[in-house]
Amino acid sequence: MSTDGAQTPIADQTGEATTRTLHIWRGDLTDGGLVEFEVETAPGMVVLDAVLEVQRSQAPDLAVRWNCKAAKCGSCSAEVNGRPSLMCKTRLDHLPEGEPITVEPLHAFPVIRDLVTDVSWNYEVNKKIAPFTPKPDADWLIGQEDADRMSEFRKCIECFMCQDVCHILRNHRMHDRYFGPRFLIRLASLEMHPLDDLDRIDQISGEAGIALCNITKCCTEVCPEGIHITDNAIIPLKERVVDRRFDPLFRLLHRRPR
Amino acid sequence: MTTQAASTPPAARRTGTPPLGATMRRDRWWLQPVLIATGLTLFGIYSIVVAALNTDYDYLKGGARYLSPFYSPDLRSLFGLHIPFTYAFFVIWAPLGLRTTCYYYRKAYYRSFFLMPPACAVAGRPRAAGRYTGESRLPFILQNVHRFFFYFATIVLGFLWYDAIRAFFYHTPTGTRFGIGLGGVVMVVNVVLLSAFTFGCNSFRHLIGGRLDCFTCSASARARHGAWKKVSVLNGHHQLYAWLSLISVGVTDLYIRLACAGVFTDPHHIF
């Protein structure tokens, strides 16, 4: 960027400009398709850079949602070469050379326009989860070991890529019967909280639909925060449901409330 | 800019059920499910065949005793069981049940055999809207008995440890003497890998401490937290140990089988 505010051509920044082909999905809920663009790129550029360059120089009306460009806001989720990815975290030089780069909006949610999807369903699901409800006589000192377990879940940036890749939502469109990995994480963080007083197992096994999850771990694979969604949230919740619903021996031995 | 559409995925793709294999991924996503399906099928066939053979599973040469993991515990001597057919099926149901309901293997075979889905962001078997039931209905609701298979498989594992330790004690004309044979080493490696797999089990991780809401509220909770962390280390490599132990079981059986058949002589040294 020059000091007078005018953008410097990409090639001048590094001296190594190359041209890449992008196939960007353009359209809305009624119709759409991939549109081809050629952009000059430089080493170190990410997909979001290339998309914004297309928007700047070739398609000013291209709709794309982004904010921090630091992989922390979760806004620029898209599908790059068919895989849910944060556009700001996906480097162009990590994608196969000589092949077009495909950029599509998330599949699990309705398209508003181009790369922007309507993820408001997630916020409606979130409202169904009762917030943290402390025990009346709570001792507000929490051990570090307990904080450590919950802090992993607090890393979620709500990019909703785990929701997008989950085949229950993506392919089976069961948004009315399954909360999805992101909200099973939230339920896990509350259910495992030492000070939370609510029994959440009925909701987890009921309207949250945890039994629909068949542990294919795709949510874990795409999580940009590296949260072990399946191993540390979903499976432990499934085991808590087993305690309650499928293990008479356990119920016999643990009659007293925890 | 080129306005020509490189391809035109219809908007209906976002609301309808995509066909099997529909994806924009260009990598070899199919390779992993193919390899896993091949590996599990080969092991499944091998297990059934060796369990049905009822021969060459008990090596008794040179004072050594190596018992195939498919035939341990030895129900013949343990319970005086004398039946005209193989007893292996009375043994292997527990470890096979553990693996069948294991959370890792569930991922593996849901992807590879049931194509639900075959890979991430790849459309699985299409079903009419609302017909997918996951693990909420039969038969997959039975996955919830995983912990019971864990209990029984742990008992079998105890016998495998006994077999592995016994393999280092040779019966000689002068009495029982310590010795080291390649077969014994193979059996120890096998049982160590099996232990790493078994005690990295997600159900065990839950029961040992994961089910607690508070790790610091009592002395026993602190102790269980320590155990939970150790199990979590094993659990972090559950997939690795699942495959290594699967291979080691097959290799151990094959070693004992070939030694019994006289294909080679077990190298050993008695002290």
Side-chain angles (χ1 to χ4, degrees):
Chain A
M1 188 81 70
S2 63
T3 52
D4 62 2
Q7 274 201 307
T8 307
I10 293 167
D12 292 349
Q13 293 174 14
T14 65
E16 287 185 51
T18 57
T19 301
R20 298 289 305 252
T21 303
L22 268 70
H23 289 171
I24 301 177
W25 198 92
R26 300 210 62 187
D28 56 26
L29 199 56
T30 57
D31 196 15
L34 294 173
V35 180
E36 188 172 296
F37 297 93
E38 303 277 337
V39 286
E40 280 198 350
T41 67
M45 276 179 70
V46 293
V47 171
L48 182 60
D49 290 325
V51 169
L52 293 179
E53 176 60 19
V54 167
Q55 187 191 52
R56 185 191 69 79
S57 61
Q58 302 176 55
D61 60 341
L62 175 66
V64 53
R65 183 190 284 136
W66 68 286
N67 195 348
C68 74
K69 203 171 175 288
K72 285 296 167 193
C73 73
S75 302
C76 65
S77 310
E79 302 203 359
V80 178
N81 283 354
R83 302 194 74 136
S85 315
L86 290 179
M87 287 191 284
C88 70
K89 205 180 176 184
T90 309
R91 288 173 61 119
L92 294 176
D93 51 12
H94 289 178
L95 300 172
E97 286 182 39
E99 293 179 15
I101 299 163
T102 307
V103 188
E104 293 180 288
L106 301 179
H107 282 217
F109 305 111
V111 172
I112 296 174
R113 193 172 147 199
D114 300 338
L115 299 179
V116 179
T117 51
D118 177 4
V119 294
S120 60
W121 170 81
N122 293 285
Y123 306 123
E124 296 305 315
V125 171
N126 196 40
K127 290 176 189 169
K128 296 178 183 174
I129 300 173
F132 172 63
T133 307
K135 295 170 182 169
D137 57 343
D139 174 359
W140 289 93
L141 282 176
I142 298 177
Q144 186 60 48
E145 295 86 345
D146 297 312
D148 286 345
R149 174 160 65 167
M150 289 179 294
S151 63
E152 181 185 17
F153 305 137
R154 306 290 293 184
K155 291 195 299 181
C156 177
I157 59 173
E158 295 209 317
C159 62
F160 300 128
M161 293 198 299
C162 59
Q163 305 284 75
D164 178 56
V165 81
C166 174
H167 70 118
I168 302 165
L169 302 174
R170 181 189 184 89
N171 298 143
H172 300 294
R173 321 300 299 186
M174 297 177 78
H175 296 67
D176 57 334
R177 291 169 58 187
Y178 184 56
F179 280 11
R182 190 279 167 267
F183 296 104
L184 290 175
I185 285 180
R186 174 140 195 264
L187 280 165
S189 73
L190 292 165
E191 166 63 20
M192 296 175 188
H193 198 297
L195 300 183
D196 188 73
D197 201 29
L198 292 187
D199 184 338
R200 299 172 187 274
I201 297 298
D202 285 344
Q203 183 179 41
I204 290 165
S205 62
E207 66 174 330
I210 196 169
L212 291 174
C213 172
N214 64 343
I215 319 290
T216 48
K217 295 197 176 186
C218 290
C219 49
T220 302
E221 284 188 21
V222 302
C223 180
E225 284 295 308
I227 302 171
H228 296 88
I229 301 172
T230 323
D231 284 311
N232 288 348
I234 296 179
I235 292 175
L237 290 182
K238 274 182 172 269
E239 286 296 315
R240 288 179 182 225
V241 172
V242 174
D243 287 346
R244 182 78 61 84
R245 303 253 187 277
F246 300 99
D247 189 348
L249 186 65
F250 185 91
R251 287 208 303 273
L252 191 69
L253 295 172
H254 298 84
R255 279 186 171 168
R256 286 181 302 167
R258 281 175 287 164
Chain B
M1 181 186 78
T2 307
T3 53
Q4 176 191 0
S7 68
T8 309
R13 192 180 68 174
R14 302 181 190 285
T15 53
T17 305
L20 175 64
T23 184
M24 294 296 280
R25 283 179 62 173
R26 304 207 195 98
D27 58 331
R28 291 185 293 173
W29 58 264
W30 46 268
L31 185 60
Q32 190 181 56
V34 166
L35 291 175
I36 288 173
T38 305
L40 292 181
T41 302
L42 288 175
F43 183 80
I45 293 170
Y46 184 84
S47 302
I48 293 168
V49 169
V50 299
L53 278 176
N54 203 27
T55 56
D56 292 340
Y57 60 83
D58 202 359
Y59 180 79
L60 292 164
K61 293 177 185 172
R65 172 133 195 233
Y66 302 150
L67 185 61
S68 162
F70 287 96
Y71 290 81
S72 179
D74 185 353
L75 298 181
R76 299 164 308 173
S77 58
L78 201 62
F79 298 115
L81 184 71
H82 293 289
I83 51 177
F85 51 89
T86 178
Y87 70 85
F89 292 110
F90 294 117
V91 172
I92 62 172
W93 64 268
L96 282 184
L98 180 75
R99 287 183 190 269
T100 304
T101 57
C102 161
Y103 285 99
Y104 164 67
Y105 282 107
R106 275 144 80 167
K107 167 197 165 185
Y109 64 71
Y110 281 138
R111 285 192 187 193
S112 303
F113 289 104
F114 294 96
L115 308 176
M116 301 193 328
C120 300
V122 178
R125 283 192 295 131
R127 283 183 168 237
R131 280 190 55 207
Y132 171 81
T133 56
E135 297 184 338
S136 66
R137 298 277 184 277
L138 283 171
F140 296 124
I141 196 172
L142 295 176
Q143 307 281 25
N144 291 302
V145 302
H146 182 50
R147 64 179 60 173
F148 296 102
F149 283 115
F150 168 79
Y151 300 146
F152 289 110
T154 305
I155 296 170
V156 173
L157 187 64
F159 283 101
L160 291 175
W161 270 106
Y162 171 77
D163 293 339
I165 293 167
R166 186 181 58 184
F168 290 89
F169 294 93
Y170 289 74
H171 294 290
T172 67
T174 58
T176 303
R177 291 170 63 186
F178 179 75
I180 297 177
L182 183 57
V185 173
V186 169
M187 290 173 75
V188 166
V189 170
N190 177 47
V191 79
V192 166
L193 291 172
L194 281 171
S195 301
F197 168 67
T198 305
F199 293 113
C201 164
N202 290 84
S203 285
F204 182 57
R205 184 176 180 236
H206 168 76
L207 293 166
I208 200 75
R211 62 170 291 272
L212 298 175
D213 284 345
C214 182
F215 285 142
T216 54
C217 293
S218 67
S220 69
R222 287 183 183 280
R224 290 177 68 179
H225 174 255
W228 175 78
K229 282 185 76 174
K230 290 182 175 65
V231 172
S232 296
V233 171
L234 289 178
N235 182 257
H237 305 285
H238 204 38
Q239 173 177 334
L240 176 68
Y241 291 127
W243 280 103
L244 290 179
S245 62
L246 194 79
I247 293 166
S248 73
V249 167
V251 168
T252 305
D253 176 82
L254 186 65
Y255 183 92
I256 294 169
R257 195 161 292 283
L258 294 178
C260 285
V263 175
F264 58 81
T265 303
D266 176 60
H268 63 276
H269 179 76
I270 300 172
F271 296 94

